[in-house]
Amino acid sequence: MKKVKIFILGLLVFSLTACGNSNYIVKDGKPVEYEKTGQILQRDILCKPEDKELDALYSEYEDQTKIEYGDLPKCSDFSLSSNKADGIWEGIFVKPLAFLILKLGYFINSFGLSVILIGLAIRLVLLPISRKTMKQSDNMKKAQPEIARIEKKFAGKNDNESMLMKSQEMMMVYKKYNISPFGSCLLAFIQLPLFFAFLQAINRTPAIFEDTFLGLTLGQTPLVGLFEYHQWTYLIIILLIILTTYLSFRNSMSTTQTGNQDMERQMQFMFKFMIIMISIASLYLSTAIALYWVATNGFVVLQNFIFKKVDQREENKDKIIVPSKMKGNNKKKGK
């Protein structure tokens, strides 16, 4: 389970830094950027930009767009029936998300706020699963002493009979503490495709990049904003990305203890490595994606804080109830 989580975190950084993405319009072997924002032009855009300069730039490279550029609707006219979906992934995830962001954005007159609200709505939908995952992690922590004892008992024993006995004893511990072996990975497997769909929906919808939020262009990256336009507000965006990522990852690490010191050291190394990588990646994130990242990570931090407070209150109630019952039983015996 730990290796799965490490793989997922690595995949997120890989996608955030746009490594290995072959969906860019290129010139002389290099991705074509929109000079105003530093946005890299996508080949598989879902609709035409409203900005005339960006529209002209896409028209210049229309031979590279996956769908005939002239056949694309304007983003203001985009609907679920626009264009033929390129597979189930696009039809079920990417297009509906792009449609929601656009429609809500036009309705409230802010694509930046639309990205934030829809990101938070997704987290709200996942709230019951998040709660279940955290419960699983808490139960795993309670079971760690027994799991460590079993690991020590069968250390160095690799014969089939010992491995079978170890497996049976581990399953008994899991059953005792109501642990599903894959329960803590469920949320990661669900939110991973949603994250990639959100990433694609934003990247493939030019109108989002044309809008501004709190004076920041949604398609602009901190690298361009800081060093070309000297907008120091982007420093706040970078710091928020790093801070919310650190807090949400730290909580994840604290609730997934293994009882194995070597594994714990590996997880700590990966934790530090991921923070460094995401700190670098934050320079290349568009403001739109940065808003989604900060809002959803901030939601996770607040959500986990509330969950912990609720759990602590329940534990304190149990501690009060149990002694009071014992006291009552002692009085009965005295009679």
Side-chain angles (χ1 to χ4, degrees):
M1 287 187 287
K2 312 304 171 189
K3 290 181 180 179
V4 170
K5 290 183 178 180
I6 291 171
F7 169 75
I8 288 170
L9 291 177
L11 199 57
L12 287 177
V13 172
F14 184 79
S15 63
L16 285 173
T17 53
C19 297
N21 196 321
S22 60
N23 285 324
Y24 297 146
I25 289 175
V26 296
K27 181 180 181 181
D28 299 327
K30 296 181 180 179
V32 177
E33 292 185 4
Y34 185 37
E35 290 183 359
K36 281 186 178 181
T37 63
Q39 171 197 354
I40 297 175
L41 304 192
Q42 298 277 324
R43 294 179 58 228
D44 52 358
I45 54 173
L46 297 170
C47 53
K48 290 181 181 179
E50 304 288 337
D51 181 80
K52 291 182 180 179
E53 288 185 35
L54 188 55
D55 180 45
L57 189 59
Y58 267 110
S59 297
E60 185 181 342
Y61 297 98
E62 61 182 347
D63 59 317
Q64 292 191 44
T65 55
K66 285 191 174 181
I67 298 177
E68 189 71 34
Y69 189 71
D71 295 336
L72 289 170
K74 283 190 174 182
C75 287
S76 55
D77 299 324
F78 181 76
S79 67
L80 290 175
S81 60
S82 298
N83 318 327
K84 185 178 179 181
D86 185 17
I88 296 175
W89 166 256
E90 183 177 301
I92 294 178
F93 290 100
V94 180
K95 284 184 68 177
L97 269 176
F99 175 76
L100 287 173
I101 294 169
L102 284 171
K103 290 305 174 186
L104 181 59
Y106 282 120
F107 180 72
I108 62 178
N109 198 33
S110 173
F111 288 120
L113 191 56
S114 175
V115 166
I116 291 172
L117 290 175
I118 292 174
L120 294 177
I122 290 173
R123 294 303 317 187
L124 280 171
V125 171
L126 294 175
L127 198 61
I129 300 173
S130 300
R131 181 62 171 153
K132 186 176 180 180
T133 300
M134 193 167 183
K135 283 284 188 183
Q136 285 280 304
S137 296
D138 288 340
N139 291 342
M140 182 64 79
K141 286 172 71 176
K142 292 175 184 177
Q144 280 308 316
E146 294 185 39
I147 292 174
R149 179 182 58 79
I150 294 171
E151 291 285 356
K152 186 177 180 180
K153 178 181 176 181
F154 292 95
K157 298 179 181 179
N158 298 317
D159 58 284
N160 291 335
E161 185 179 351
S162 295
M163 294 301 290
L164 180 60
M165 289 178 65
K166 179 183 177 181
S167 178
Q168 289 174 343
E169 290 190 28
M170 290 288 280
M171 291 307 296
M172 287 176 66
V173 172
Y174 287 155
K175 187 176 180 180
K176 177 182 176 180
Y177 289 94
N178 193 27
I179 297 169
S180 169
F182 299 101
S184 60
C185 294
L186 179 61
L187 181 62
F189 278 119
I190 291 175
Q191 68 183 8
L192 187 61
L194 285 173
F195 171 79
F196 283 127
F198 215 104
L199 198 65
Q200 283 197 30
I202 291 174
N203 282 336
R204 295 171 61 183
T205 312
I208 296 173
F209 287 88
E210 300 166 28
D211 199 10
T212 59
F213 184 76
L214 301 178
L216 302 175
T217 304
L218 294 183
Q220 204 163 70
T221 66
L223 197 64
V224 173
L226 280 171
F227 297 106
E228 292 189 25
Y229 291 92
H230 307 293
Q231 290 179 283
W232 301 107
T233 314
Y234 279 103
L235 281 175
I236 298 174
I237 295 290
I238 293 171
L239 291 174
L240 285 174
I241 290 171
I242 296 170
L243 178 63
T244 56
T245 301
Y246 170 79
L247 292 174
S248 61
F249 279 17
R250 186 184 67 175
N251 180 76
S252 175
M253 293 295 180
S254 67
T255 57
T256 53
Q257 296 175 6
T258 64
N260 185 311
Q261 291 185 354
D262 290 335
M263 182 65 76
E264 293 293 340
R265 281 195 290 268
Q266 290 177 26
M267 291 295 288
Q268 284 298 322
F269 171 78
M270 285 302 300
F271 172 64
K272 293 174 183 177
F273 174 75
M274 294 302 296
I275 294 300
I276 292 170
M277 288 299 295
I278 287 176
S279 299
I280 296 170
S282 66
L283 293 169
Y284 302 92
L285 291 177
S286 68
T287 302
I289 296 171
L291 289 174
Y292 166 78
W293 187 259
V294 170
T296 53
N297 273 325
F299 181 93
V300 169
V301 173
L302 180 61
Q303 157 199 287
N304 290 339
F305 175 79
I306 294 171
F307 284 166
K308 284 183 177 180
K309 289 295 182 183
V310 170
D311 289 340
Q312 287 173 2
R313 189 175 297 175
E314 289 177 356
E315 286 178 10
N316 291 335
K317 282 183 179 179
D318 291 340
K319 288 177 182 178
I320 294 171
I321 291 171
V322 172
S324 64
K325 285 184 176 180
M326 291 176 65
K327 188 176 180 181
N329 290 334
N330 289 335
K331 284 183 179 180
K332 287 180 181 179
K333 287 179 181 180
K335 290 181 180 180

